[in-house]
mmCIF file of all heavy atoms in Angstrom:
data_model
loop_
_atom_site.group_PDB
_atom_site.id
_atom_site.type_symbol
_atom_site.label_atom_id
_atom_site.label_comp_id
_atom_site.label_asym_id
_atom_site.label_seq_id
_atom_site.Cartn_x
_atom_site.Cartn_y
_atom_site.Cartn_z
ATOM 1 N N PRO A 1 0.824 -1.212 0.000
ATOM 2 C CA PRO A 1 0.000 0.000 0.000
ATOM 3 C C PRO A 1 0.859 1.264 0.000
ATOM 4 O O PRO A 1 2.013 1.243 0.426
ATOM 5 C CB PRO A 1 -0.799 -0.119 1.295
ATOM 6 C CG PRO A 1 0.004 -1.021 2.166
ATOM 7 C CD PRO A 1 0.725 -1.960 1.241
ATOM 8 N N THR A 2 0.274 2.344 -0.478
ATOM 9 C CA THR A 2 0.965 3.628 -0.448
ATOM 10 C C THR A 2 0.171 4.595 0.423
ATOM 11 O O THR A 2 -1.037 4.447 0.604
ATOM 12 C CB THR A 2 1.124 4.225 -1.861
ATOM 13 O OG1 THR A 2 -0.163 4.376 -2.450
ATOM 14 C CG2 THR A 2 2.003 3.353 -2.733
ATOM 15 N N TYR A 3 0.873 5.572 0.943
ATOM 16 C CA TYR A 3 0.276 6.591 1.807
ATOM 17 C C TYR A 3 0.692 7.954 1.291
ATOM 18 O O TYR A 3 1.813 8.128 0.814
ATOM 19 C CB TYR A 3 0.738 6.393 3.259
ATOM 20 C CG TYR A 3 0.394 5.022 3.772
ATOM 21 C CD1 TYR A 3 1.313 3.987 3.679
ATOM 22 C CD2 TYR A 3 -0.870 4.755 4.284
ATOM 23 C CE1 TYR A 3 0.985 2.709 4.110
ATOM 24 C CE2 TYR A 3 -1.200 3.477 4.722
ATOM 25 C CZ TYR A 3 -0.269 2.463 4.629
ATOM 26 O OH TYR A 3 -0.606 1.199 5.047
ATOM 27 N N ASN A 4 -0.216 8.910 1.386
ATOM 28 C CA ASN A 4 0.041 10.248 0.854
ATOM 29 C C ASN A 4 0.159 11.265 1.972
ATOM 30 O O ASN A 4 -0.626 11.243 2.916
ATOM 31 C CB ASN A 4 -1.096 10.695 -0.063
ATOM 32 C CG ASN A 4 -1.245 9.819 -1.275
ATOM 33 O OD1 ASN A 4 -0.310 9.152 -1.688
ATOM 34 N ND2 ASN A 4 -2.417 9.817 -1.867
ATOM 35 N N ALA A 5 1.130 12.158 1.842
ATOM 36 C CA ALA A 5 1.226 13.331 2.706
ATOM 37 C C ALA A 5 0.888 14.534 1.837
ATOM 38 O O ALA A 5 1.596 14.820 0.872
ATOM 39 C CB ALA A 5 2.627 13.457 3.288
ATOM 40 N N PHE A 6 -0.209 15.205 2.163
ATOM 41 C CA PHE A 6 -0.626 16.389 1.420
ATOM 42 C C PHE A 6 -0.039 17.616 2.111
ATOM 43 O O PHE A 6 -0.292 17.850 3.281
ATOM 44 C CB PHE A 6 -2.153 16.498 1.385
ATOM 45 C CG PHE A 6 -2.801 15.388 0.614
ATOM 46 C CD1 PHE A 6 -3.183 14.219 1.235
ATOM 47 C CD2 PHE A 6 -3.035 15.519 -0.752
ATOM 48 C CE1 PHE A 6 -3.781 13.188 0.526
ATOM 49 C CE2 PHE A 6 -3.635 14.498 -1.471
ATOM 50 C CZ PHE A 6 -4.007 13.329 -0.826
ATOM 51 N N ILE A 7 0.764 18.386 1.387
ATOM 52 C CA ILE A 7 1.428 19.556 1.956
ATOM 53 C C ILE A 7 0.924 20.789 1.219
ATOM 54 O O ILE A 7 1.147 20.944 0.017
ATOM 55 C CB ILE A 7 2.958 19.408 1.854
ATOM 56 C CG1 ILE A 7 3.388 18.159 2.638
ATOM 57 C CG2 ILE A 7 3.651 20.665 2.355
ATOM 58 C CD1 ILE A 7 4.806 17.728 2.395
ATOM 59 N N HIS A 8 0.226 21.644 1.946
ATOM 60 C CA HIS A 8 -0.407 22.833 1.365
ATOM 61 C C HIS A 8 0.447 24.066 1.640
ATOM 62 O O HIS A 8 1.145 24.144 2.648
ATOM 63 C CB HIS A 8 -1.796 23.034 1.971
ATOM 64 C CG HIS A 8 -2.694 21.853 1.800
ATOM 65 N ND1 HIS A 8 -3.460 21.666 0.670
ATOM 66 C CD2 HIS A 8 -2.932 20.789 2.595
ATOM 67 C CE1 HIS A 8 -4.128 20.535 0.785
ATOM 68 N NE2 HIS A 8 -3.830 19.982 1.941
ATOM 69 N N PHE A 9 0.354 25.046 0.769
ATOM 70 C CA PHE A 9 1.077 26.288 0.972
ATOM 71 C C PHE A 9 0.365 27.418 0.235
ATOM 72 O O PHE A 9 -0.452 27.180 -0.657
ATOM 73 C CB PHE A 9 2.529 26.180 0.491
ATOM 74 C CG PHE A 9 2.687 25.633 -0.895
ATOM 75 C CD1 PHE A 9 2.671 26.470 -1.997
ATOM 76 C CD2 PHE A 9 2.846 24.268 -1.103
ATOM 77 C CE1 PHE A 9 2.814 25.960 -3.283
ATOM 78 C CE2 PHE A 9 2.998 23.750 -2.376
ATOM 79 C CZ PHE A 9 2.978 24.607 -3.473
ATOM 80 N N ALA A 10 0.668 28.638 0.636
ATOM 81 C CA ALA A 10 0.071 29.817 0.011
ATOM 82 C C ALA A 10 1.122 30.517 -0.842
ATOM 83 O O ALA A 10 2.284 30.588 -0.468
ATOM 84 C CB ALA A 10 -0.446 30.770 1.081
ATOM 85 N N VAL A 11 0.697 31.008 -1.988
ATOM 86 C CA VAL A 11 1.593 31.719 -2.904
ATOM 87 C C VAL A 11 0.823 32.870 -3.549
ATOM 88 O O VAL A 11 -0.387 32.823 -3.641
ATOM 89 C CB VAL A 11 2.126 30.801 -4.029
ATOM 90 C CG1 VAL A 11 3.156 29.848 -3.521
ATOM 91 C CG2 VAL A 11 1.012 30.080 -4.726
ATOM 92 N N PRO A 12 1.532 33.895 -4.015
ATOM 93 C CA PRO A 12 0.830 34.955 -4.753
ATOM 94 C C PRO A 12 0.333 34.419 -6.092
ATOM 95 O O PRO A 12 0.947 33.536 -6.670
ATOM 96 C CB PRO A 12 1.907 36.027 -4.951
ATOM 97 C CG PRO A 12 3.202 35.288 -4.836
ATOM 98 C CD PRO A 12 2.961 34.146 -3.891
ATOM 99 N N ILE A 13 -0.756 34.962 -6.580
ATOM 100 C CA ILE A 13 -1.270 34.545 -7.890
ATOM 101 C C ILE A 13 -0.240 34.897 -8.959
ATOM 102 O O ILE A 13 0.387 35.951 -8.914
ATOM 103 C CB ILE A 13 -2.626 35.198 -8.182
ATOM 104 C CG1 ILE A 13 -3.694 34.584 -7.260
ATOM 105 C CG2 ILE A 13 -3.032 35.011 -9.639
ATOM 106 C CD1 ILE A 13 -5.075 35.135 -7.435
ATOM 107 N N CYS A 14 -0.075 34.003 -9.891
ATOM 108 C CA CYS A 14 1.007 34.088 -10.875
ATOM 109 C C CYS A 14 0.906 35.284 -11.815
ATOM 110 O O CYS A 14 1.885 35.964 -12.066
ATOM 111 C CB CYS A 14 1.046 32.790 -11.687
ATOM 112 S SG CYS A 14 2.184 32.836 -13.056
ATOM 113 N N ASN A 15 -0.255 35.559 -12.373
ATOM 114 C CA ASN A 15 -0.439 36.605 -13.380
ATOM 115 C C ASN A 15 0.475 36.422 -14.589
ATOM 116 O O ASN A 15 0.875 37.383 -15.240
ATOM 117 C CB ASN A 15 -0.213 38.000 -12.778
ATOM 118 C CG ASN A 15 -1.275 38.340 -11.760
ATOM 119 O OD1 ASN A 15 -2.405 37.893 -11.872
ATOM 120 N ND2 ASN A 15 -0.912 39.108 -10.760
ATOM 121 N N GLY A 16 0.850 35.193 -14.876
ATOM 122 C CA GLY A 16 1.638 34.891 -16.063
ATOM 123 C C GLY A 16 3.125 35.170 -15.946
ATOM 124 O O GLY A 16 3.859 35.003 -16.901
ATOM 125 N N HIS A 17 3.601 35.611 -14.794
ATOM 126 C CA HIS A 17 5.018 35.927 -14.648
ATOM 127 C C HIS A 17 5.822 34.656 -14.389
ATOM 128 O O HIS A 17 5.463 33.841 -13.551
ATOM 129 C CB HIS A 17 5.237 36.914 -13.502
ATOM 130 C CG HIS A 17 4.571 38.229 -13.734
ATOM 131 N ND1 HIS A 17 4.912 39.069 -14.759
ATOM 132 C CD2 HIS A 17 3.560 38.837 -13.067
ATOM 133 C CE1 HIS A 17 4.148 40.144 -14.716
ATOM 134 N NE2 HIS A 17 3.313 40.025 -13.705
ATOM 135 N N LEU A 18 6.910 34.519 -15.120
ATOM 136 C CA LEU A 18 7.799 33.377 -14.938
ATOM 137 C C LEU A 18 9.138 33.885 -14.417
ATOM 138 O O LEU A 18 9.591 34.970 -14.755
ATOM 139 C CB LEU A 18 8.016 32.638 -16.258
ATOM 140 C CG LEU A 18 6.791 31.972 -16.885
ATOM 141 C CD1 LEU A 18 7.170 31.368 -18.233
ATOM 142 C CD2 LEU A 18 6.234 30.898 -15.971
ATOM 143 N N ALA A 19 9.772 33.079 -13.584
ATOM 144 C CA ALA A 19 11.102 33.389 -13.080
ATOM 145 C C ALA A 19 11.959 32.150 -13.242
ATOM 146 O O ALA A 19 11.452 31.024 -13.269
ATOM 147 C CB ALA A 19 11.033 33.810 -11.613
ATOM 148 N N GLU A 20 13.251 32.352 -13.333
ATOM 149 C CA GLU A 20 14.154 31.216 -13.503
ATOM 150 C C GLU A 20 14.440 30.571 -12.152
ATOM 151 O O GLU A 20 14.776 31.250 -11.188
ATOM 152 C CB GLU A 20 15.471 31.673 -14.133
ATOM 153 C CG GLU A 20 16.411 30.519 -14.428
ATOM 154 C CD GLU A 20 17.676 30.961 -15.148
ATOM 155 O OE1 GLU A 20 17.643 31.995 -15.832
ATOM 156 O OE2 GLU A 20 18.682 30.264 -15.014
ATOM 157 N N ASN A 21 14.294 29.259 -12.104
ATOM 158 C CA ASN A 21 14.662 28.496 -10.916
ATOM 159 C C ASN A 21 16.187 28.506 -10.844
ATOM 160 O O ASN A 21 16.846 28.008 -11.750
ATOM 161 C CB ASN A 21 14.118 27.069 -11.042
ATOM 162 C CG ASN A 21 14.455 26.186 -9.860
ATOM 163 O OD1 ASN A 21 15.524 26.280 -9.282
ATOM 164 N ND2 ASN A 21 13.541 25.307 -9.520
ATOM 165 N N PRO A 22 16.772 29.063 -9.781
ATOM 166 C CA PRO A 22 18.234 29.174 -9.728
ATOM 167 C C PRO A 22 18.944 27.821 -9.625
ATOM 168 O O PRO A 22 20.134 27.729 -9.908
ATOM 169 C CB PRO A 22 18.482 30.024 -8.479
ATOM 170 C CG PRO A 22 17.257 29.889 -7.665
ATOM 171 C CD PRO A 22 16.132 29.653 -8.616
ATOM 172 N N ILE A 23 18.219 26.790 -9.254
ATOM 173 C CA ILE A 23 18.833 25.465 -9.104
ATOM 174 C C ILE A 23 18.778 24.676 -10.408
ATOM 175 O O ILE A 23 19.770 24.124 -10.860
ATOM 176 C CB ILE A 23 18.171 24.686 -7.953
ATOM 177 C CG1 ILE A 23 18.391 25.438 -6.639
ATOM 178 C CG2 ILE A 23 18.714 23.257 -7.862
ATOM 179 C CD1 ILE A 23 17.611 24.911 -5.465
ATOM 180 N N THR A 24 17.599 24.658 -11.053
ATOM 181 C CA THR A 24 17.433 23.853 -12.267
ATOM 182 C C THR A 24 17.558 24.671 -13.547
ATOM 183 O O THR A 24 17.752 24.104 -14.621
ATOM 184 C CB THR A 24 16.064 23.159 -12.283
ATOM 185 O OG1 THR A 24 15.047 24.160 -12.386
ATOM 186 C CG2 THR A 24 15.840 22.324 -11.033
ATOM 187 N N GLY A 25 17.396 25.993 -13.448
ATOM 188 C CA GLY A 25 17.433 26.833 -14.631
ATOM 189 C C GLY A 25 16.113 26.890 -15.382
ATOM 190 O O GLY A 25 15.984 27.610 -16.361
ATOM 191 N N ALA A 26 15.123 26.126 -14.925
ATOM 192 C CA ALA A 26 13.822 26.100 -15.604
ATOM 193 C C ALA A 26 13.039 27.375 -15.301
ATOM 194 O O ALA A 26 13.172 27.959 -14.222
ATOM 195 C CB ALA A 26 13.022 24.886 -15.137
ATOM 196 N N LEU A 27 12.213 27.791 -16.264
ATOM 197 C CA LEU A 27 11.309 28.899 -16.021
ATOM 198 C C LEU A 27 10.089 28.369 -15.286
ATOM 199 O O LEU A 27 9.483 27.375 -15.693
ATOM 200 C CB LEU A 27 10.885 29.554 -17.337
ATOM 201 C CG LEU A 27 11.977 30.335 -18.059
ATOM 202 C CD1 LEU A 27 11.448 30.844 -19.392
ATOM 203 C CD2 LEU A 27 12.478 31.482 -17.206
ATOM 204 N N GLN A 28 9.739 29.026 -14.191
ATOM 205 C CA GLN A 28 8.644 28.539 -13.363
ATOM 206 C C GLN A 28 7.763 29.685 -12.886
ATOM 207 O O GLN A 28 8.235 30.813 -12.715
ATOM 208 C CB GLN A 28 9.183 27.805 -12.129
ATOM 209 C CG GLN A 28 9.942 26.542 -12.463
ATOM 210 C CD GLN A 28 10.369 25.789 -11.219
ATOM 211 O OE1 GLN A 28 10.908 26.364 -10.287
ATOM 212 N NE2 GLN A 28 10.110 24.499 -11.211
ATOM 213 N N THR A 29 6.495 29.370 -12.651
ATOM 214 C CA THR A 29 5.582 30.313 -12.013
ATOM 215 C C THR A 29 5.900 30.335 -10.524
ATOM 216 O O THR A 29 6.585 29.436 -10.012
ATOM 217 C CB THR A 29 4.123 29.874 -12.206
ATOM 218 O OG1 THR A 29 3.928 28.645 -11.516
ATOM 219 C CG2 THR A 29 3.767 29.729 -13.680
ATOM 220 N N PRO A 30 5.398 31.344 -9.778
ATOM 221 C CA PRO A 30 5.609 31.340 -8.329
ATOM 222 C C PRO A 30 5.088 30.060 -7.665
ATOM 223 O O PRO A 30 5.696 29.548 -6.725
ATOM 224 C CB PRO A 30 4.830 32.570 -7.855
ATOM 225 C CG PRO A 30 4.839 33.490 -9.035
ATOM 226 C CD PRO A 30 4.750 32.575 -10.237
ATOM 227 N N GLN A 31 3.959 29.530 -8.165
ATOM 228 C CA GLN A 31 3.414 28.300 -7.591
ATOM 229 C C GLN A 31 4.363 27.126 -7.809
ATOM 230 O O GLN A 31 4.585 26.310 -6.915
ATOM 231 C CB GLN A 31 2.039 27.980 -8.197
ATOM 232 C CG GLN A 31 0.929 28.892 -7.725
ATOM 233 C CD GLN A 31 0.854 30.189 -8.510
ATOM 234 O OE1 GLN A 31 1.755 30.540 -9.275
ATOM 235 N NE2 GLN A 31 -0.211 30.941 -8.315
#
């Protein structure tokens, strides 16, 4: 069997803005 841990968090709404992840280099939304 598997068990899930649901981890919730709050973030500002994206509004289409992307930023570069400094670790992976990928473009990501705030979420």
Side-chain angles (χ1 to χ4, degrees):
T2 58
Y3 302 93
N4 297 337
F6 294 90
I7 300 168
H8 303 274
F9 50 89
V11 286
I13 290 180
C14 173
N15 294 329
H17 297 296
L18 296 176
E20 184 176 334
N21 180 324
I23 298 171
T24 66
L27 290 176
Q28 295 184 312
T29 65
Q31 287 84 348

